[in-house]
Amino acid sequence: MDTVLVTGGTGYIGSHTCVELLNNGYHVLVLDNFSNSSFEPIKRVEKITGKKVKFYEGDLRNKELLRKIFKANNINAVIHFAGLKAVGESCAKPLEYYDNNLYGSIALFEIMNEFNTKKIIFSSSATVYGNNPLPYGEEMPYGIISNPYGRTKCMIEQILGDLSKSCSSWHTIILRYFNPIGAHQSGMIGEEPQGIPNNLMPYILKVAVGDFPELKVFGDDYETPDGTCIRDYIHVVDLAKGHIIALKSLLNSNNQGKNSEGINIYNLGTGKGYSVLELIKTFEKVSKIKIKYSITQRRDGDLPICFANVSKIERELGWKAKYNIEAMCEDSWRWIKNNPRGYKNV
Ligand code: NAD
Ligand code: UFG
């Protein structure tokens, strides 16, 4: 079976993808520097699947380490999750983001070139669509992007496009995630933000377990039915399964759907949007916990509405999200109920 290197594989999306990779029979190598994670998810991934992960602790920017990993293993493809992802932090520390995300990616692509492993799936984001008209489709140009994090995503996408143009043996799939929430149904792995969460569901979970007294809803005066922002939430297990479908197509070097730069881009979303208040209500319904909230001013840079056109990936790869918003809330709730301190319980 093929061997896949997963960068950032101990993180939220990476750990869920490792479960699906192992369940589909792939050999999994993980590289992570624990800048936003720990080793515990690997232990749990192995417990869920009954299979082993080969783990390397280290930084993507360490080319010697990358060389060592590629030399010791016959790697068929790379799934590249590793990166810093907090929008606000990226505005405060732009150089850290460019160094980690951009330089880390370049180092990885260089070593992949050196070892002639030229199949990669890259984690991009709906943030690249910026102010385009809705729903967002893969053929759209980049929108106006207001933060360094989003710019690193566009730049890495463009670097991958240039690589594909320079050499036809590069096969690249870019997956643009919408808003991943939820957790594995076992309740053993999930999202563990450090400190105060930036994103909505992790914040709701902190309120649910009593770590914070209330949620602040950033604005209720948007042009949406209830005035709060609308997002395309996707269950992280659906997202992880999307990577397996993409990987199978990549390993078969199926060129269908390539754009003019020779890369395939797919949205991973459900195509449906829910408002902040709808997500809170659904969470309350499935958990039977009241989430106290107050309305505050808008957060800088928030778009009123964001949702995907998901027809391309369904048409070309046969992937479609399966889990609804109730399942996303139920699984998020199970994770935090079982692990109120996240992985720090152990
Ligand atoms: P995460 O922070 O949970 O996981 C990222 C992992 O990468 C962490 O384990 C971190 O320790 C590791 N890492 C970071 N820099 C590294 C480096 N230089 N060397 C080695 N390891 C490094 O984040 P996530 O939510 O799982 O996101 C995974 C990817 O998906 C990221 O690239 C993120 O930008 C992208 N993405 C996430 C979302 C989201 O809402 N979660 C949305 C769109 C795109
Ligand atoms: N929100 C609140 N209170 C909070 C947190 C969020 O009201 O405490 C609101 C936001 O204003 C927004 C909605 O909840 O309207 C969703 O916010 P998130 O921060 O959860 O998600 P975003 O859509 O803003 O951003 C996420 C990722 C980005 C990524 C983007 C598109 O954080 O990295 O999705 O993929 F770029």
Side-chain angles (χ1 to χ4, degrees), residues 37-155:
S37 59
S38 66
F39 188 66
E40 184 60 22
I42 295 291
K43 290 195 205 154
R44 302 209 185 172
V45 164
E46 290 182 338
K47 209 162 174 189
I48 292 169
T49 58
K51 296 187 176 150
K52 285 273 167 215
V53 169
K54 193 165 173 186
F55 182 76
Y56 292 89
E57 180 178 352
D59 198 291
L60 200 56
R61 291 162 291 186
N62 180 346
K63 286 202 226 169
E64 272 324 298
L65 173 63
L66 286 176
R67 263 190 204 104
K68 193 181 121 195
I69 297 171
F70 276 84
K71 209 174 264 174
N73 301 282
N74 188 8
I75 298 172
N76 303 94
V78 175
I79 305 185
H80 178 29
F81 294 106
L84 301 174
K85 62 165 183 176
V87 172
E89 187 185 59
S90 79
C91 298
K93 301 174 181 170
L95 288 178
E96 232 174 84
Y97 272 67
Y98 287 116
D99 182 43
N100 193 78
N101 294 5
L102 212 52
Y103 179 65
S105 297
I106 292 170
L108 173 67
F109 305 156
E110 274 180 19
I111 303 303
M112 288 176 69
N113 240 341
E114 226 174 277
F115 285 82
N116 207 24
T117 300
K118 295 178 179 168
K119 297 194 173 187
I120 185 163
I121 296 177
F122 171 61
S123 300
S124 190
S125 165
T127 198
V128 304
Y129 292 115
N131 55 334
N132 269 292
L134 292 159
Y136 296 144
E138 294 87 343
E139 72 295 346
M140 289 176 172
Y142 293 134
I144 295 171
I145 294 155
S146 57
N147 60 81
Y149 164 73
R151 278 192 271 278
T152 66
K153 291 296 177 197
C154 292
M155 289 176 191

Side-chain angles (χ1 to χ4, degrees), residues 85 87 125-127 149 177-179 197-201 203 215-218 229-231 233 276 299 302-303 306:
K85 62 165 183 176
V87 172
S125 165
T127 198
Y149 164 73
Y177 312 153
F178 281 67
N179 288 60
N198 300 300
N199 301 116
L200 181 58
M201 180 55 91
Y203 209 105
L215 169 76
K216 304 231 176 300
V217 173
F218 300 140
C229 294
I230 291 177
R231 294 289 181 274
Y233 296 98
V276 175
R299 181 171 71 178
D302 269 347
L303 291 167
C306 169

Side-chain angles (χ1 to χ4, degrees), residues 61-311:
R61 291 162 291 186
N62 180 346
K63 286 202 226 169
E64 272 324 298
L65 173 63
L66 286 176
R67 263 190 204 104
K68 193 181 121 195
I69 297 171
F70 276 84
K71 209 174 264 174
N73 301 282
N74 188 8
I75 298 172
N76 303 94
V78 175
I79 305 185
H80 178 29
F81 294 106
L84 301 174
K85 62 165 183 176
V87 172
E89 187 185 59
S90 79
C91 298
K93 301 174 181 170
L95 288 178
E96 232 174 84
Y97 272 67
Y98 287 116
D99 182 43
N100 193 78
N101 294 5
L102 212 52
Y103 179 65
S105 297
I106 292 170
L108 173 67
F109 305 156
E110 274 180 19
I111 303 303
M112 288 176 69
N113 240 341
E114 226 174 277
F115 285 82
N116 207 24
T117 300
K118 295 178 179 168
K119 297 194 173 187
I120 185 163
I121 296 177
F122 171 61
S123 300
S124 190
S125 165
T127 198
V128 304
Y129 292 115
N131 55 334
N132 269 292
L134 292 159
Y136 296 144
E138 294 87 343
E139 72 295 346
M140 289 176 172
Y142 293 134
I144 295 171
I145 294 155
S146 57
N147 60 81
Y149 164 73
R151 278 192 271 278
T152 66
K153 291 296 177 197
C154 292
M155 289 176 191
I156 299 165
E157 286 198 0
Q158 287 170 316
I159 292 170
L160 285 167
D162 288 338
L163 268 176
S164 282
K165 270 196 278 184
S166 73
C167 164
S168 61
S169 53
W170 270 92
H171 293 279
T172 298
I173 293 186
I174 287 172
L175 298 176
R176 292 179 177 160
Y177 312 153
F178 281 67
N179 288 60
I181 59 170
H184 190 262
Q185 284 79 6
S186 64
M188 289 170 66
I189 55 172
E191 183 169 16
E192 188 188 43
Q194 319 280 334
I196 300 171
N198 300 300
N199 301 116
L200 181 58
M201 180 55 91
Y203 209 105
I204 291 177
L205 297 180
K206 291 273 185 195
V207 175
V209 295
D211 284 356
F212 295 124
E214 65 165 19
L215 169 76
K216 304 231 176 300
V217 173
F218 300 140
D220 68 348
D221 54 354
Y222 287 96
E223 277 189 37
T224 60
D226 66 19
T228 63
C229 294
I230 291 177
R231 294 289 181 274
D232 184 341
Y233 296 98
I234 170 167
H235 197 299
V236 67
V237 171
D238 270 331
L239 195 80
K241 288 180 194 287
H243 288 72
I244 306 302
I245 305 273
L247 180 66
K248 285 183 179 156
S249 136
L250 191 71
L251 289 168
N252 291 334
S253 293
N254 178 349
N255 288 346
Q256 194 189 2
K258 279 192 174 188
N259 69 9
S260 57
E261 303 200 312
I263 53 180
N264 298 70
I265 304 180
Y266 297 105
N267 286 338
L268 285 180
T270 64
K272 287 193 212 72
Y274 290 89
S275 74
V276 175
L277 295 184
E278 283 172 326
L279 189 70
I280 297 173
K281 294 269 163 317
T282 310
F283 184 84
E284 288 182 332
K285 192 176 87 193
V286 305
S287 67
K288 302 191 175 53
I289 302 250
K290 185 99 196 104
I291 300 299
K292 195 167 173 251
Y293 68 85
S294 62
I295 308 289
T296 60
Q297 65 201 46
R298 292 179 177 199
R299 181 171 71 178
D300 266 0
D302 269 347
L303 291 167
I305 308 178
C306 169
F307 63 95
N309 178 338
V310 286
S311 58

Side-chain angles (χ1 to χ4, degrees), residues 317-334:
L317 303 184
W319 177 90
K320 197 173 187 277
K322 189 168 117 195
Y323 298 107
N324 62 19
I325 196 84
E326 278 83 13
M328 297 179 212
C329 289
E330 262 166 38
D331 294 334
S332 289
W333 172 231
R334 186 179 308 108

